[in-house]
Each structure stands twice: as structure tokens, then as C-alpha cells.
Amino acid sequence: MDPVAALKQIALFLERSGAPSGKVRAFRRAAAVIEELPPDELAEHVRAGTLTRLSGIGQAISTVVTEAAAGGEPNYLKNLMADAGKPVAGGEALRAALKGDCHTHSDWSDGGSPIEEMARAAIALGHEWMVLTDHSPRLRVANGLSADRLRRQLEVVAELNVELAPFLILTGIEVDILLDGALDQDEALLAELDVVVASVHSKLAMPRAEMTERMLTAIANPHVDILGHCTGRLVTRKSRPESQFDPNAVFSACAQYGVAVEINSRPERLDPPRRLLRLAADLGCAFAIDSDAHAPGQLDWLPYGCERAEDCGIAPDRVINTCTADDLLSAIAARRGPY
């Protein structure tokens, strides 16, 4: 087994399991170090047992590289694969129907990996497309993209789409819904993007009536395609309660304007809760089952959302990421109308 591939595969499994980011980065940095070595030099380090002299290579990583270079599957990777199993018990049919992921992040904002690495991980999972949705500028803690940085990102995506074809990176953003319901990016620039996910990230505990009006204003904006993690809750580690809003009004507006309700698959979010998913389904909403991945291994969190959607009776034809990229873009263009 190729040592670099082994190290990257370990990083993917660690990301999927929610391992500390420092541990994941150690394996990714080691992969980069090994990848830069001439083959003869790597072979000499393996033969002499001097891999730990290289920057960022400790004993555990040295053992992985040595075992992989000898042609075997490293025990570290075997153990991770044995422990991985299935994340949830259901949702297999819906997961098999997904053709892409509408909510992903790269190291242009608060993700941990370059765009290309995220895209290649999506390809390995069998995706036909993914939407790149890095954060908008006012979310400074997440290194949100200014209009100029977003325009530069669009150029990078265009180049990668030539290299990665037929896989397609759709242009997008996770745009903040501001306190008055306005969107945290230039409207003309939003119109250029393929997919816009709008999410509340600030003042999550504002009064119910004000939060409802804030969300309704954003949903009515013709550039908004998906309402992201609508309650803002966190259910693991540092828990956070749901934001309070009128779900009947919000989901009815989503159905009226053709805005999909996101089923966020991050294990610490699992947002919205099942009672709200069922309500949104009853009110006629469409859905997007998204990973909200900030690292390549997290792209494989989609089963968490698929299991919950299936449990709530949401059929594949109501999930927009079961569409081909062409069909998705056509539907969005028809819904938005002329700008």
C-alpha cells in the first residue's frame, strides 16, 4: 500500500469519527512530508529506521509508513476500519440516491483542507457534484470570504472543474442571515452563485417573534436556495438549545418560495430535530441532506441525515441532492427567475 495513501486514508477515518483536529492534521502533515520525498530517499529511511528524524513523523506514523512501504495494510488503518462500522442503522436507500452535497467548506474559510482535496474525497464517495459553501464576511471567526475573495474562489473553482471533469464543483456560499434578515454578501454576487445556503449564526437566543421575522425575510429573498441548520442547536459536547421561531410560518414560507430545508448531518447538530422535520414535510417543503463538512472525512456524515429523513418519511424525490447537477441548476434558475 502506498504510504501517502495510507496516511490520508487514516486522516479520513479519523475525521469521520470526530477525532481531535490536531490528530488529523498530524497525519495530513506527515502525508505531505512523505509525498515530497524522492522514492529512493524514503526507501532508505524505511530501511534504516530513521523516519522519525523527519519533521512531523513520530513513532506511530513511522510504523504506518513502514508497514505500508512493505506492501501491507498498516495495523493502525485496519483498526480504524474495523471500528468504523455503520454510523446509523437506516437510511441506506436514500444515501444511495444522493448524487451530491449542497453544504461543504474548504480552507478558504474555516475548513481544514483545500478545495481540490475536498472534491477528490467527494469523488471517492461516489458523488457527481458538490457545492462549495464557504462562509460570508461577517463571520470573522470562520474567516468568512469578502466579495473579492469569493470572486477569486470562483476562478479557482472554474479551473478545478476543467481538471476534475465530469465531476462538478458548484459555486456557492453559506451566507449569514443578519439581524434584520438581510444577507451578508453583495446581492449581485449572490446572483452569480449556483447555490446559496442561508443560515443564522448570531444572536441565536433572540426573541421568538424577532427570529421568525428575521428568517422569513431571508427566505423571501430570491437568491436563497436552502435554509441551513434552522434551529442552530448543538446536541453533543458543548450543547446549545434550539433557537425559538414559529416553525409553521417558517416552513410554510420555505414551501411557498421553493427554499429547501436543510437536514444537517453533522453529528453535533442533527438539525432540525425530528418533530420539525415531520412538520416541514407535512407543510410541503423540499429538503437538502447536507454534510456541512469542514474536512474530507466529514463528507461521509451524510448517513446521519439520511437515517433521520427516512425515519420521518421523506422520500428521495423531495430531496434536492438526489438530482443531477444539471437538473438542480435548472430547478434553481426557474425558481429564482430573472435577476
Side-chain angles (χ1 to χ4, degrees), residues 84-131:
K86 290 174 57 180
V88 289
E92 293 91 345
L94 189 49
R95 175 64 186 92
L98 298 186
K99 291 181 169 60
D101 191 334
C102 295
H103 187 168
T104 70
H105 296 274
S106 76
D107 60 2
W108 280 63
S109 64
D110 61 340
S113 294
I115 300 169
E116 181 176 356
E117 193 167 346
M118 294 294 292
R120 292 193 182 280
I123 293 169
L125 288 172
H127 292 177
E128 297 177 7
W129 53 267
M130 74 174 207
V131 187

Side-chain angles (χ1 to χ4, degrees), residues 174-230:
E174 184 182 14
V175 63
D176 266 25
I177 300 174
L178 304 178
L179 296 183
D180 61 356
L183 304 180
D184 180 31
Q185 190 50 274
D186 178 79
E187 292 273 341
L189 183 51
L190 291 176
E192 296 180 29
L193 302 177
D194 294 322
V195 179
V196 173
V197 179
S199 305
V200 172
H201 287 106
S202 61
K203 302 291 185 182
L204 295 173
M206 70 190 305
R208 173 186 170 99
E210 294 175 25
M211 180 65 81
T212 300
E213 187 61 30
R214 178 183 184 182
M215 296 171 76
L216 291 177
T217 300
I219 291 165
N221 187 303
H223 303 311
V224 173
D225 305 304
I226 299 169
L227 177 64
H229 48 69
C230 62

Side-chain angles (χ1 to χ4, degrees), residues 145-153 189:
L145 273 63
S146 66
D148 286 343
R149 289 182 65 216
L150 179 54
R151 289 189 182 94
R152 290 200 299 274
Q153 186 182 78
L189 183 51

Side-chain angles (χ1 to χ4, degrees), residues 236-309:
T236 59
R237 299 176 186 169
K238 293 182 179 179
S239 62
R240 183 168 64 206
E242 300 170 22
S243 294
Q244 296 302 303
F245 58 89
D246 182 343
N248 284 283
V250 166
F251 296 145
S252 293
C254 285
Q256 175 186 351
Y257 290 104
V259 173
V261 174
E262 179 180 73
I263 302 175
N264 191 289
S265 300
R266 290 190 69 85
E268 72 269 26
R269 285 192 181 274
L270 299 180
D271 195 7
R274 282 177 170 82
R275 74 179 193 285
L276 294 185
L277 273 183
R278 294 188 178 99
L279 175 62
D282 289 344
L283 291 172
C285 293
F287 298 91
I289 300 176
D290 297 332
S291 68
D292 193 358
H294 287 64
Q298 296 175 7
L299 290 164
D300 204 17
W301 280 347
L302 288 173
Y304 290 103
C306 291
E307 186 270 340
R308 296 170 62 248

